[in-house]
Amino acid sequence: MDQMWGQTVRMSQRSLLLFLGITTTLAITVQDNYEWTTWFNVDHPGGRGDYEQLEAIRFYYHSRVCETPRAIEARTTEWVPARETGETVHADPTVGFWCINEEQGPGSNCSNYAVRFLCPKVSSLNNQGTWKPWSDWSPCPALCGQVGVQLRHRSCQSQSILCSGPKIEGKPCNGPECINTDCSLHCVLGRVNVDCDACMCEEHILLGSVRSAGGLIAQGATILRAGKLLTITDHNGHFRIPGICPDGNTTLTIGLQGHATHSVIVPNSAERTSVLSVTLKRAEKLYVLSNPESKVRKEGQSAAFCCKVTGTPEPDKYQWFHNNSLMEMQTESTLVLKDLHPEQVGEYYCRASAPSGAIKTKPATLKIIGRDEHSCSPQPESHLIRLPHDCYQNSTDSFYYDVGKCPSSSCAGLLDNTIRCKDKVAYCCGVTKMEERQLTCQGYQLSTMAVTECGCQKCVDTKAIVYGRAIAGDNGEPMRFGHIFMNGVRISRTGYKGTFTIQVPPDTERLVLTFVDNLQKFVNTTKVLQFKTNGGAVYHEIKLLRKKAPVTINPLETNTLELGEVEGQEAMVQLQIPPHSFYKENGEVFTGKVNASVTFLDPRDVSTAAAAQSDLNFIGDEGDTLPLRTYGMFSVDFRGEENNEPLNAGQVKVFLDSAQVQMSEHLNTMKLWSLNPETGLWEEEGSLQLDKKKRGKREERTFLIGNMEIRERRLFNLDVPENRRCYVKVRTFRSERFMPSEQVGGVVVSLINMEPTPGYSSNPRAWGRFDSVITGPNGACLPAFCDEQKPDAYSAYVMANLGGEELEAVPSAPKFNPNQIGVPQPYLQKLNYRRSDHEDPRVKKTAFSINVAKPSPNTAEEGNGPVYAFENLKQCEEAPFSAAHFRFTRVEGDRYDYNTVAFNEDDPMSWTEDYLSWWPKPMEYRACYIKIKMSSPHEINVRSRNMGGTHPKTIGQLYGLRDTRSIRDMDQANVSAVCLEFKCSGMLYDQDRVDRSLVKVIPQGSCKRDHVNSMLQEYLVNHLPLAVNNDTNEFTMLAPLDPLGHNYGIYTVTDQDPRTAKEIALGRCFDGTSDGTSRVMKTNEGVALTFTCGDREVTRQSVFQALQSPQGQTITTGGQGESRKGRRRQRANALRSSRKRSTRNPERRTQGRS
């Protein structure tokens, strides 16, 4: 700014109305008719001095300064009046205040000044005198190369009534040119200017127009040449610069707040006038493309950490932190550590900065082990597997056996000497030795492979998948054939039923997807989807808001749109659009009729929480990712009525009813945000200020009012940053035994933060935030708002979903069992745990509510979970199983799987390279099922025994067992059917030769094989060898190599995730088709085998009753050993004639796989 005034400002001594103080004579006038503005400070004393220019103050603060200030007062930022500083200063209420460093004493510079102006009170404007005409401008007093001020005067015609405004005005002026004999600049056109940094063409005028993003007028844009300010655009976005040479060498830089700077070259021209048109782009906030990668190294080795950050402008500064301490002399995007020693272990992260802000990466962990230490502990960890129902072990007094496992953690492998951001080969702890053990069961020996030694080896290659459905949040209508975008590029589309499957690209840190409906039924929806970084598939149900029907408005009038979706309550938000505010995308003002559709997500309705966009996070000033609490989101769609062209709008006013803001401290921190669809982060658009307005005929209401422009972004949010944060620990299990070895990974656990209720007068159904996380081997930590002073200030609902199936929470009534819930008293009472059916047993049991009471540091029993302070995230993530946590269960009571080589389907990294592995190839999981019809008054348990059939390494050896219970036909009382998994034939892990698996299908009880599908029988006969089938109580085959289909009663699906492959195959098997899906068993469709079983009811425990017994409980025959739970399960089984599959939901799966 100081460049506009030059090196020195010369002013003749003159009498100003007020300069650095108020005279006694004026005091009464000031009190009666005038008032002071707030203090302004728009410049600092760097460069040539401190210039508080009135024009610049008006640019930044708009109407907060009157048109003709009466007086000006100045002080330093230390509150010292300017007259007491001893510095040479200048002031004029029509121009501003300035202090020039050259005019101060040797070695002294100007202080940092703030100014305020004396303006007429609003009420005094109606009683003002009339001014006489202005005098001519005085001669310019500036010397060569300097800037001075020209003055003009006027007087008030009335002697009794004061005139409003200044008696004197000033404007800057340039002194004569100085002769410079040392300048080396040569001009093709014009002549060299005084500063010898540009060419001047006095006869040429440059006219220009600047538009902001979306084509809106860019008022107040700065035009600079070589860093010097030339001018500022006017209220129409226009500028005029005389003397610019059209030589093709002059570069101008255009800047506007919130936009990326833009450079443009003045083109060659022989005309006296040139015209430029510039459209600016929105400044892009910094965004982390890749975080530093965790490393494991041996002492003396080297490690490199890299952070890749993008934005417009690009980062200009990098800082590295070790265990939250700034590292000196580390200012590059890559951090290299050589000759590592134990003191360097810990967390490392990078902070990148740019003019638009800062951002921090996620921390990476460096683990350093001794030169002679084992990178992985050779001793396996304990891992209990369930044994079949007829394999009780007297030695352990249980149905469990410890086969051991190796943690899939990173380790230091054989690395080359090249320093890389990402290691060329990833090494993990894995199995190096196993031994076969024979377990004695009832009438047979069961083989199992036990881990005996672990070591460091190459990690298993895995792929991360997200799949699911995109459906309407109100009625489940699918978004058919919609587009899915990532980073602005279309990567996939939804199917007819709204289904989608996406493979997560490698090195993806944050998966941000935008779902766009071609039919315009639904609002464009941006979601940040959680995925399993170690590989595998995660199911997501994308809830979409239905687009609001448009209303037709006249753009030449003021239009008000009310937003609020809760019946019987006042509108929560109002949008006021002034006349002439609509623009086409090319910047042209639009005057035709406008179809306006504004869809509001009302947080007063808790059912809308799942449809919330993104993850309600923003980047703070220091670069931290911080949470927001929403007071409503709205999506805007303005289109021309005639041709449906999209329109932008400028200077839209937003009114938020302050009565809807229940926490008074939020009134001062409320902001308006817009969503960046590529990063999924919210970015600040402006603040909201309290003001009282009368809206129509209603009583006076208080509103929070803000301004916004609707350009390329169409989704907005009314939010406050919230700093009272905690984490809630949740674990998910596959049975009600809640054993560590039976935890389920890949479960999407969601938490809805509710509006504070006790202590605040609020709507108990309103919500403020929605978060989701994925469970891993050690559960999950959910972010939540919490309060230490009022334990019941914040409450939350928690729910869990796996593959579209909701898991059950632990009951809170009629019995309240802290041991089952997983949290001890008295903390549990303080948290007020309630399952969703606590008061009404008819309600689903799939959620629980708690008060999120922040743990007190002075209470020992609250320091061990399940709620952790926000700074203790690592403690939450690494908490031992014995620490308090909340629980969900997925009871798999109708099937049992046993693998000779243990494998956790939730963790692809647990795959072991062995000939007897059920899945021989990771990332390519092939699931095979055979459909069997049972004629019996009872449901029948059926087993498949799967052994090596033709491969020399596996022939006669057990791959695994599968036990499944048949499901009754809904229309036929004596008919049931079962879809039974068997080991697919195919290549083993070495990809050397094929093994035709030998599969035995064995129904439990007295059953006889009646029929074999003729097409299946023909296939088996034509594809030798043929298995012997002399025993009519069972069926034996060498599994087919080909994916046969429903005509054979065989269902085969290959997928990159084992659970997904099984779910799709099961859906087809239930339906009896090769491409359909069903949740109801169709017993007469697509059957391979038929058995007839006797009428005798099995009196001993079934396999599934046995599996529900607690660990260590003895199972007896003859019915005497049945537990009360077992009898309850038998009674429930009698009602299963209309049962649907409880653990399968194939209707939600992606179709068309093979």
Side-chain angles (χ1 to χ4, degrees), residues 885-905:
H885 56 269
F886 293 108
R887 295 167 172 173
F888 285 92
T889 57
R890 181 185 192 241
V891 179
E892 300 178 348
D894 57 358
R895 70 177 179 89
Y896 165 73
D897 297 351
Y898 170 79
N899 296 326
T900 301
V901 178
F903 174 66
N904 181 3
E905 292 179 353

Side-chain angles (χ1 to χ4, degrees), residues 369-427:
I369 59 178
R371 298 176 189 270
D372 301 323
E373 289 183 43
H374 286 291
S375 184
C376 294
S377 172
Q379 184 66 32
E381 297 178 354
S382 175
H383 180 60
L384 298 175
I385 62 168
R386 295 184 299 181
L387 300 177
H389 72 287
D390 50 2
C391 202
Y392 184 80
Q393 297 299 294
N394 293 321
S395 59
T396 60
D397 196 28
S398 72
F399 283 97
Y400 288 82
Y401 188 79
D402 191 351
V403 297
K405 70 172 183 179
C406 300
S408 55
S409 56
S410 300
C411 58
L414 301 175
L415 300 175
D416 55 28
N417 294 324
T418 305
I419 297 177
R420 296 186 177 92
C421 297
K422 183 178 179 64
D423 290 340
K424 189 174 183 179
V425 179
Y427 288 90

Side-chain angles (χ1 to χ4, degrees), residues 433-469:
K433 287 185 181 179
M434 290 195 300
E435 68 178 22
E436 183 178 2
R437 296 176 185 173
Q438 296 293 328
L439 305 179
T440 302
C441 305
Q442 293 181 15
Y444 66 96
Q445 293 291 114
L446 180 67
S447 297
T448 189
M449 300 296 291
V451 178
T452 58
E453 185 178 294
C454 301
C456 191
Q457 56 190 19
K458 291 182 181 180
C459 298
V460 176
D461 289 330
T462 61
K463 293 181 181 178
I465 307 291
V466 293
Y467 69 106
R469 297 177 69 208

Side-chain angles (χ1 to χ4, degrees), residues 951-965:
H951 196 289
K953 295 285 188 180
T954 62
I955 190 167
Q957 298 185 66
L958 183 69
Y959 285 114
L961 305 175
R962 296 293 186 267
D963 291 335
T964 308
R965 178 187 293 171

